Amino acid sequence: MSIKKTSFSVAAAVALSLSGVAIADASVWGLGGFNQSAVAPKSNHSILSIDNSISVAAAGTLMNYQEHINPGPSDTESGWMPGFKVTGNYMGQNHVYLHLGYQYNSGGIHYDGANLETHAAVQTTDRATTQQLLGKIGYGFFMDNGKIAVTPYVAAGYQSWHRNLEIPVGQEIEDYSATLAGTGALFQYQITPRLVFSADSEFLAVTGGGMTPHITGLDLGSAHFGVSGEEKVAVSANYRISGPWSVFGGLNFTHFNYTGGAITSYTQDVTDASEPPSSTNLFGMDAGIRYSF
């Protein structure tokens, strides 16, 4: 990809080449509160180093799922799922920001619910797998001589949950999926030349969602969901070890709803052939290594 370089003033270029540091310890504001001459080249700038990097992390998620059935019983699930996360970031000298992230988690979580046909209480294990792919594009605004960056962005992606309940005979699998689209903002603060704090917030619409069951002895169709919302907040800290290498760790919380819906086609006489509305809370943490380019 060819990125057009932003023009610097002659004075700024000379100052940068002689000193190799950020210009002046003073806040200079330009259009939209941003002055490009206040930002050092990415090779000397902690925030831009993070925004031009690839990273791999171990990522654990505590999942809490709650169906909303009145009258009940309502299914609940809760448990810890280990996994990993891979991300790539790019910000050119025009400060257009690109991000692509993929996360995978899988583990046995506790299921407390009821039999689909008899409604008898059931407690078992869900061998659950969740995945999310999310892309972002935004623009970075730098302040305080490049020590602070605020990057609003738009985002789009996809998420899924493979729900695999352990039952004595046969199988009971439900595949949930949805597309995501919305907006958010990334805040970054350079505490020291090696240490950067980040806070990220996402506000996404959950669209095109649905659930397809695969249950032994039942020939069911799919449930199609309406539009709902998903919110996420995340904080992290990145510490540069040496050269382009750094380590990071963070915490995050995600909440989203599925509206539920009728199963549109089925050939068996099944009571409540529908997927109820539900809420999901995800408490996550990650720790990994980053390479800046």
Side-chain angles (χ1 to χ4, degrees):
M1 178 182 294
S2 176
I3 303 295
K4 182 180 180 182
K5 294 185 177 180
T6 305
S7 298
F8 289 85
S9 66
V10 174
V14 172
L16 287 173
S17 63
L18 291 176
S19 64
V21 298
I23 309 168
D25 186 17
S27 296
V28 182
W29 295 82
L31 180 63
F34 170 74
N35 184 357
Q36 297 205 25
S37 65
V39 182
K42 65 184 179 183
S43 60
N44 299 322
H45 193 278
S46 297
I47 292 178
L48 284 178
S49 293
I50 296 173
D51 292 342
N52 290 272
S53 67
I54 55 175
S55 65
V56 179
T61 297
L62 175 63
M63 180 176 184
N64 289 295
Y65 168 81
Q66 173 71 63
E67 291 183 352
H68 304 296
I69 302 175
N70 188 21
S74 295
D75 291 357
T76 63
E77 293 193 25
S78 182
W80 177 258
M81 297 185 295
F84 67 90
K85 180 168 64 175
V86 180
T87 60
N89 302 299
Y90 177 77
M91 180 179 282
Q93 291 188 24
N94 60 358
H95 296 101
V96 172
Y97 171 72
L98 302 175
H99 166 93
L100 184 63
Y102 171 76
Q103 183 165 337
Y104 174 96
N105 291 90
S106 184
I109 62 179
H110 178 72
Y111 170 88
D112 190 348
N115 182 276
L116 181 65
E117 296 181 89
T118 66
H119 298 289
V122 174
Q123 292 188 348
T124 185
T125 299
D126 172 16
R127 298 297 177 185
T129 298
T130 62
Q131 298 182 75
Q132 187 188 77
L133 179 67
L134 190 68
K136 304 175 183 178
I137 180 169
Y139 186 87
F141 295 89
F142 287 80
M143 295 161 267
D144 193 15
N145 293 326
K147 294 182 180 179
I148 296 175
V150 178
T151 306
Y153 58 79
V154 293
Y158 172 86
Q159 67 184 22
S160 67
W161 172 26
H162 179 71
R163 189 185 195 190
N164 186 359
L165 298 177
E166 292 185 345
I167 58 177
V169 179
Q171 68 175 13
E172 185 169 337
I173 294 174
E174 297 175 345
D175 288 316
Y176 295 74
S177 63
T179 56
L180 307 169
T183 186
L186 172 65
F187 171 84
Q188 296 166 293
Y189 174 59
Q190 180 180 307
I191 300 173
T192 73
R194 289 182 179 269
L195 180 62
V196 174
F197 169 81
S198 300
D200 197 0
S201 58
E202 299 171 7
F203 303 93
L204 306 175
V206 181
T207 65
M211 186 277 289
T212 301
H214 309 280
I215 301 173
T216 300
L218 298 176
D219 185 12
L220 301 173
S222 298
H224 300 283
F225 302 158
V227 177
S228 56
E230 177 167 321
E231 308 82 38
K232 180 179 180 179
V233 292
V235 294
S236 65
N238 186 93
Y239 183 79
R240 183 172 63 84
I241 302 172
S242 178
W245 296 99
S246 59
V247 293
F248 64 92
L251 301 171
N252 59 80
F253 170 73
T254 304
H255 168 80
F256 62 88
N257 295 321
Y258 284 141
T259 65
I263 295 180
T264 55
S265 63
Y266 58 95
T267 59
Q268 302 290 332
D269 183 14
V270 180
T271 304
D272 295 332
S274 63
E275 173 67 14
S278 63
S279 299
T280 300
N281 293 316
L282 304 173
F283 300 87
M285 59 181 65
D286 58 75
I289 189 167
R290 171 174 281 114
Y291 177 80
S292 300
F293 50 84

